[in-house]
Amino acid sequence: MARRLMRALAYDGYVNGAIGLKHVEVGIPSPRKDEVLINIEAVSLNPVDWNAHKLRILLRPFLDRKNSASIPCTDVAGEVVEIGSQVKNFKPGDVVVAILSTYTGGGLSQYGVAKESLTVSRPIGVSAAEAAGLPIAGLTAHMALTQFAGLRLRKSEPHKNVLVTNASRGVGLYAVQLAKLGNAHVTATCGARNAVLLKSMGADEVLDYKTAEGASLKSPSGRKYDAVIHCAPTPVSWSVFEENLGENGVVVDLTPGPTAMWTYAVKKLTRSKKKLLPLIMIPKDDECLKYLVGLVKEGKLKTVIDSKYGLSEGEEAWSKGVSGHATGKIIIEP
């Protein structure tokens, strides 16, 4: 019996960037006992996708060269077409949003397999593109605010001051909206062209990061921040953060480098009231994703889509994502 094939965009080697991506035909994966096979309708790009391939290049001497091909991306939405023997909550025909394996990816293709525990039903009224934008970016924003910054997402909560840097990209836009659900006063940094968008998403104050005022991170109204959600890929000196933090303020760094890790260790050892916490998000279950999908359904959370591409245009989409110039999420529709 002939093996069923699908179209995919894959790295077949160790060349970085969009130039290393190749259009291929590969076998449709079969779901394991606890997995579902999804006919992918939309997949979103995240910085972790290209960073994962960079790591693969660094680990090249230790990898099996016979299996060098890899299909990137993890955040998908589509229709279940096959289920594993132990799957209980889904059946063929269900529309879902899911996170594919963080280690093997598989999203830039027509079909992908996901653990049942990382798959969520997609309600009527939530498009595949809206849903696909949620998993990594939305969950990272939610975790940063609730588990690290201690914000409860209820309007009845005590007022807190929150700064979101690089707020016009995927995680930042979700963080602004979620913080407002928690009754926070939100200051956001972005380029001048995105100021109106950030205001429409709920930001109370917007700083142009290219100006001296933006670089200083000072609140225009003079507020000290209870929490900073640092989404920008470029490091910021701890002294800049510290000057703007309240007495027990915390910086949640989503792109921690060696300097940030050192600052984290020093603040922990000295039991400083002002803290820097590095966040590396590894999804474990579907509960928070269900919550976020519900917010989209209720109109309380919006996926801002920068652009959509077909799989045949995947290299162009990838290049735009790597450039860092997208506003919101880049979606590929296989």
Side-chain angles (χ1 to χ4, degrees), residues 228-295:
V228 176
I229 310 302
H230 183 47
C231 308
T234 52
V236 172
S237 169
W238 171 253
S239 61
V240 174
F241 284 135
E242 188 172 35
E243 184 180 357
N244 291 290
L245 290 175
E247 183 180 358
N248 295 295
V250 58
V251 176
V252 185
D253 194 338
L254 308 187
T255 56
T259 302
M261 297 303 292
W262 173 254
T263 301
Y264 160 69
V266 169
K267 296 302 173 183
K268 189 175 181 66
L269 288 171
T270 58
R271 298 183 179 181
S272 171
K273 290 184 177 180
K274 298 181 179 181
K275 301 174 182 178
L276 184 146
L277 302 176
L279 188 159
I280 299 175
M281 209 281 292
I282 299 177
K284 296 180 179 179
D285 57 51
D286 60 1
E287 289 305 313
C288 287
L289 185 54
K290 285 180 181 176
Y291 172 71
L292 295 177
V293 171
L295 290 179

Side-chain angles (χ1 to χ4, degrees), residues 56-68:
R56 189 179 180 87
I57 293 174
L58 291 175
L59 297 176
R60 179 179 179 179
F62 309 102
L63 297 176
D64 182 358
R65 295 190 181 186
K66 293 181 181 179
N67 297 313
S68 61

Side-chain angles (χ1 to χ4, degrees), residues 212-229:
E213 293 79 7
S216 73
L217 302 182
K218 291 186 181 298
S219 164
S221 58
R223 287 172 165 82
K224 296 295 184 180
Y225 305 120
D226 298 295
V228 176
I229 310 302

Side-chain angles (χ1 to χ4, degrees), residues 185-203:
H185 180 281
V186 177
T187 303
T189 72
C190 63
R193 68 185 178 93
N194 289 317
V196 173
L197 171 65
L198 265 298
K199 285 281 190 178
S200 72
M201 291 292 105

Side-chain angles (χ1 to χ4, degrees), residues 120-143:
V120 171
S121 295
R122 174 163 55 92
I124 295 173
V126 178
S127 72
E130 289 175 312
L134 277 173
I136 295 297
L139 290 173
T140 299
H142 183 271
M143 180 179 288

